[in-house]
Amino acid sequence: MTEYFTIGDVHGKASMLDELLQHWDGCSQLVFLGDLIDRGEDSRAVLERVKNLVDQKGAVCLSGNHEYMFLTWLDNPEKSYDHYRRNGGDTTINSLLGRPLNAPVDGVADAERVKTEAANLVDFIRQMPFLLETEQYIFVHAGLDLELKDWRETSDYQKVWIRAPFHEGSNQTGKTIVFGHTPTFYLLHEAPGTKQLWMTEDGKIGMDGGAVYGGVLHGVLFGHNGIIEQYAIKNDGLVAED
């Protein structure tokens, strides 16, 4: 039975990711739930590390809504830059172009620069899948449309953006759905920094610890009978839970 070491929303927090990866055994299947970029200080380093893990170690990195917005901006910068900027995109643009994070951004001209100067990373983002389904688990960034007769018909847009209808819907997939996107502290009605995962009786597990909001970066090892180990990296070090 394959084990899955799954990592929540990184959002440019490269040092937290590096610390978390120290707890990966190098054998279990690595799964990133998306939102590698935006808001945090080192999106380029995160993309490079994860691309290398995909290329060299067979990791799977799903697209999140921030990768979706990034590509939407690149493909139509005049129309889409303002929305991307409001969602923390300038930090990624400046990180990719090697500029100070607070440097002014030209949404149109910089789109052309990013396509040229970070072409390999843009290609990497373009090939990210939206879902990983295994015998026991469904890994997805935001969730599924559980009102559909066949959940597999969920649109890619919904897979990266859906919130309440999924959280409140009934999971009748027969599998555990592991997702990020909505910070666990929000779902748990707690302050940022909680180490808890959001878990429901019908088999949904939310693991976006809100790392970029002063929360934690979750890493969870899933096995045949559910969670084997879980880690929560805080900015000041490791908190391990069994």
Side-chain angles (χ1 to χ4, degrees):
M1 170 71 190
T2 303
E3 295 178 350
Y4 301 90
F5 192 89
T6 307
I7 295 176
D9 303 35
V10 182
H11 279 303
K13 304 298 285 186
S15 60
M16 294 173 77
L17 175 60
D18 286 347
E19 193 173 342
L20 180 57
L21 285 169
Q22 293 174 22
H23 300 275
W24 175 53
D25 61 7
C27 300
S28 52
Q29 174 67 57
L30 261 182
V31 180
F32 291 87
L33 292 176
D35 279 9
L36 300 183
I37 60 173
D38 297 344
R39 298 203 172 102
E41 63 277 356
D42 210 342
S43 288
R44 183 173 195 123
V46 172
L47 284 168
E48 288 171 343
R49 284 167 178 69
V50 177
K51 182 180 185 299
N52 186 58
L53 288 164
V54 170
D55 292 344
Q56 306 296 327
K57 302 291 186 180
V60 173
C61 181
L62 303 178
S63 175
N65 60 306
H66 283 263
E67 285 80 22
Y68 194 98
M69 280 188 284
F70 172 80
L71 294 177
T72 301
W73 162 65
L74 277 186
D75 293 339
N76 194 341
E78 290 182 1
K79 180 180 177 186
S80 302
Y81 169 64
D82 190 55
H83 181 247
Y84 186 46
R85 177 188 56 77
R86 291 198 310 270
N87 283 276
D90 282 3
T91 57
T92 298
I93 296 166
N94 283 326
S95 177
L96 288 172
L97 296 177
R99 301 188 304 215
L101 293 185
N102 60 355
V105 170
D106 181 322
V108 177
D110 285 343
E112 295 308 310
R113 286 193 61 189
V114 166
K115 287 180 196 175
T116 302
E117 296 177 33
N120 62 328
L121 297 177
V122 172
D123 289 346
F124 170 58
I125 292 172
R126 285 199 190 279
Q127 60 77 45
M128 288 178 180
F130 287 87
L131 182 127
L132 173 64
E133 182 183 1
T134 73
E135 193 177 334
Q136 274 183 281
Y137 298 101
I138 301 165
F139 299 97
V140 64
H141 177 64
L144 302 171
D145 185 344
L146 297 173
E147 295 181 0
L148 293 172
K149 190 182 294 185
D150 182 358
W151 63 264
R152 289 180 178 86
E153 293 179 1
T154 301
S155 68
D156 290 343
Y157 183 85
Q158 290 282 61
K159 287 171 192 165
V160 299
W161 278 108
I162 198 168
R163 294 194 197 267
F166 165 67
H167 304 148
E168 297 164 7
S170 175
N171 176 14
Q172 303 194 25
T173 65
K175 303 186 179 194
T176 300
I177 305 172
V178 181
F179 70 100
H181 186 49
T182 302
T184 51
F185 59 77
Y186 175 84
L187 293 166
L188 293 163
H189 306 291
E190 294 192 15
T194 178
K195 301 183 294 290
Q196 270 184 277
L197 301 171
W198 184 74
M199 303 171 71
T200 65
E201 291 185 4
D202 67 351
K204 302 187 200 100
I205 300 178
M207 51 176 291
D208 173 10
V212 79
Y213 299 110
V216 302
L217 180 62
H218 282 298
V220 180
L221 182 64
F222 292 96
H224 186 66
N225 295 313
I227 294 173
I228 299 171
E229 291 175 341
Q230 66 184 83
Y231 303 94
I233 302 296
K234 299 191 77 166
N235 285 310
D236 57 357
L238 171 75
V239 181
E241 295 185 341
D242 291 317

